[in-house]
């Protein structure tokens, strides 16, 4: 292990803040897509209506991603056995990730 690598609490908080900003700003836009989601032709939408979410819900979802990762990533794996294929952060923000073609967009 390298002794000269010091990841401080400030580094963690800055990284978390930048991550929350990135996902909130991009997923809160009408397209509901980050760069990666655009490549895979998927987007974040309202769970019930399939419509785009706003910045407030995107922020809630982004903060929820931190919670999903805390217990060994269990919140991310949850979609593997969830009937609705939702992660914890999707459930917290009432969203889902949908295929763009199934929505009839793009």
């Amino acid at each position: 292990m390298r002794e000269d690598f010091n990841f401080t609490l400030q580094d963690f908080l800055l990284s978390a803040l930048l991550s929350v900003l990135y996902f909130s700003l991009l997923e809160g836009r009408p397209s509901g897509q980050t760069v990666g989601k655009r490549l895979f032709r998927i987007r974040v939408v309202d769970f019930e209506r399939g419509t785009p979410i706003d910045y407030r819900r995107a922020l809630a979802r982004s903060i929820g991603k931190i919670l999903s990762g805390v217990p060994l990533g269990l919140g991310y794996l949850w979609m593997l056995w969830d009937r609705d294929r939702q992660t914890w952060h999707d459930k917290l923000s009432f969203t889902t990730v949908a295929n763009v073609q199934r929505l009839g967009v793009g």
Side-chain angles (χ1 to χ4, degrees), residues 87-100:
T87 60
W88 286 356
H89 47 278
D90 284 324
K91 290 188 175 296
L92 287 169
S93 59
F94 305 100
T95 61
T96 192
V97 176
N99 186 305
V100 170

Side-chain angles (χ1 to χ4, degrees), residues 6 9 15 19 21 34 38 41 44 46 48 54-56 63 85:
N6 295 320
L9 178 60
S15 175
S19 177
L21 283 173
T34 60
R38 187 175 299 271
R41 301 186 57 77
V44 177
D46 178 88
E48 302 227 345
D54 60 14
Y55 290 109
R56 186 173 41 94
I63 293 170
R85 297 285 188 226

Side-chain angles (χ1 to χ4, degrees), residues 22-82:
Y22 172 78
F23 285 103
S24 298
L25 291 174
L26 293 180
E27 291 176 351
R29 295 182 333 178
S31 73
Q33 295 175 304
T34 60
V35 174
K37 284 181 180 64
R38 187 175 299 271
L39 288 172
F40 284 98
R41 301 186 57 77
I42 56 178
R43 63 190 283 193
V44 177
V45 295
D46 178 88
F47 178 71
E48 302 227 345
R49 295 181 300 247
T51 56
I53 62 172
D54 60 14
Y55 290 109
R56 186 173 41 94
R57 286 189 48 204
L59 176 63
R61 187 174 189 276
S62 297
I63 293 170
K65 286 181 180 185
I66 296 169
L67 300 174
S68 288
V70 170
L72 303 174
L74 181 62
Y76 286 99
L77 298 174
W78 198 261
M79 62 152 309
L80 296 174
W81 54 81
D82 184 70

